[in-house]
Amino acid sequence: MNSYVSKVIDELKQKYPWEKEFLQAATEVLESLSVVMDKEPKYKKYSILERIVEPERTIIFRVPWTDDKGEFQVNRGYRVEFNSAIGPYKGGIRFHQSVNLSILKFLGFEQIFKNSLTGLPMGGGKGGSDFDPRGKSDGEVMRFCQSFMTELFRHIGPDTDVPAGDIGVGGREIGYMFGQYKRLKNEFTGVLTGKGRNWGGSLIRPEATGFGVVYFADEMLKTKKQSLEGKKVAISGFGNVAWGAAIKANQLGAKVVTISGPDGYIYDEAGVKGEKIEYMLEMRASGRDKVKDYADKFKVKFVEGKRPWEEKVDIALPCATQNELNGDEAKALLKNGCICIVEGSNMSSTPEAISAFTDAKVLFSPGKASNAGGVATSGLEMSQNSMRYSWTSEEVDQKLHNIMINIHSACVNAAEKFGTPGNYVNGANIAGFLKVADSMIDQGHV
Ligand code: 2IT
């Protein structure tokens, strides 16, 4: 490994030993950049790596709210404004009991490179709270969102930082936060994306992440003269990304046989399609967070406490959360003949899983490339808001599809140029990095 890279990784490990997820994400990116540092001494000269691993600004705040019983509750709120070299900070907000600074730094860091890959002018950021949305009433969610925005509003803006949804934050939460922002600022602007279609949201934004994952998978398969037609697909999760991926995979002729939740996974030999896909939305709206409901309703196999990677499939689309596919599961997929793994969630695979895929030379794409369709369509929402105009579904879908094709070629080209053809991890990290790093150099020592 390049000595500048290993020095920066060592320093990070010493400074933030408890930030497990952030160290994992940063190590992966920096290791990919070793070859770039060997070739281009300017990045060391300008301390680009030391700067890029440090968020420009981190905001941590108290979120007090009152539950339906009138009892006082307190959560922690965060916004990590990681990098604004190529545009305003941009990235989702996650509401989940596991949220902490390490997870948001990992997500914000990934977002820098992902947003760069989209080709749109967006910097990297991420936010959230350890608020647990499970079993909360609409009123509780609204009061929580209003309180969260009452602090956050002073730090964001359409030209400063534009949050969106992530796990636990969908159209309803964006609506409550947008309403509160508007009230506090007396401004109707594109300060958030993922808005409702009646009030500035982009068509196709809800579907975009999952559609993009499948468009990307299609491009990867084309490099091997293959397609999705007739392929068996395992999807994990049943949220927004899994839902969009299931729709598009069906449209392109694949058969989706699994979805999953924190309670286990379901296997549906007849295929997750038609009304069954729409049922995923109902499961999400119920706030129960249980995929067993699907098995009960459609009378299919439910495997408790397991993830779907033990099933025999051609393609795996992890669309649930980080580190949801480990080394043993990767080996099980490979043993069963899986040829293509496309991450829909951020950092779905552990480093051991990635090594197993890379060693086996199967098609593997990291989330920052293959799930970039979500934030790309957020970028398109920002453009429409700035123009005070809206595109049709077909126009947005076409632009999304082109963006995914472009990201795919950017990854393939960078991987090849830097000596690891077919390695989408290196390709995505390098292509995403170069644009941001060169912009940082152009803008001086900031
Ligand atoms: O991880 C992601 O890219 C997102 N949650 C979407 C971010 C966005 O700003 O649309």
Side-chain angles (χ1 to χ4, degrees), residues 79 89-94 107 110-111 114-115 122-123 125-126 162-167 169 192-194 205 209 240-241 344-346 367-368 371-379 381-382:
R79 186 74 186 164
Y89 310 107
K90 179 86 196 89
I93 290 178
R94 175 176 294 191
L107 290 164
E110 291 278 294
Q111 203 82 43
K114 183 197 309 198
N115 294 1
M122 300 182 289
K126 202 86 186 189
V162 183
D166 192 79
I167 294 171
V169 177
L192 295 166
T193 59
R205 177 65 190 88
T209 314
N240 179 256
V241 184
S345 50
N346 293 306
K368 65 170 78 66
N371 77 22
V375 74
T377 307
S378 278
E381 183 169 326
M382 290 166 74

Side-chain angles (χ1 to χ4, degrees), residues 131 136-145 172-173 176:
F131 175 74
K136 299 290 191 296
S137 71
D138 266 0
E140 288 174 326
V141 170
M142 182 177 79
R143 290 192 295 278
F144 176 80
C145 288
R172 175 181 63 165
E173 291 75 16
Y176 296 150

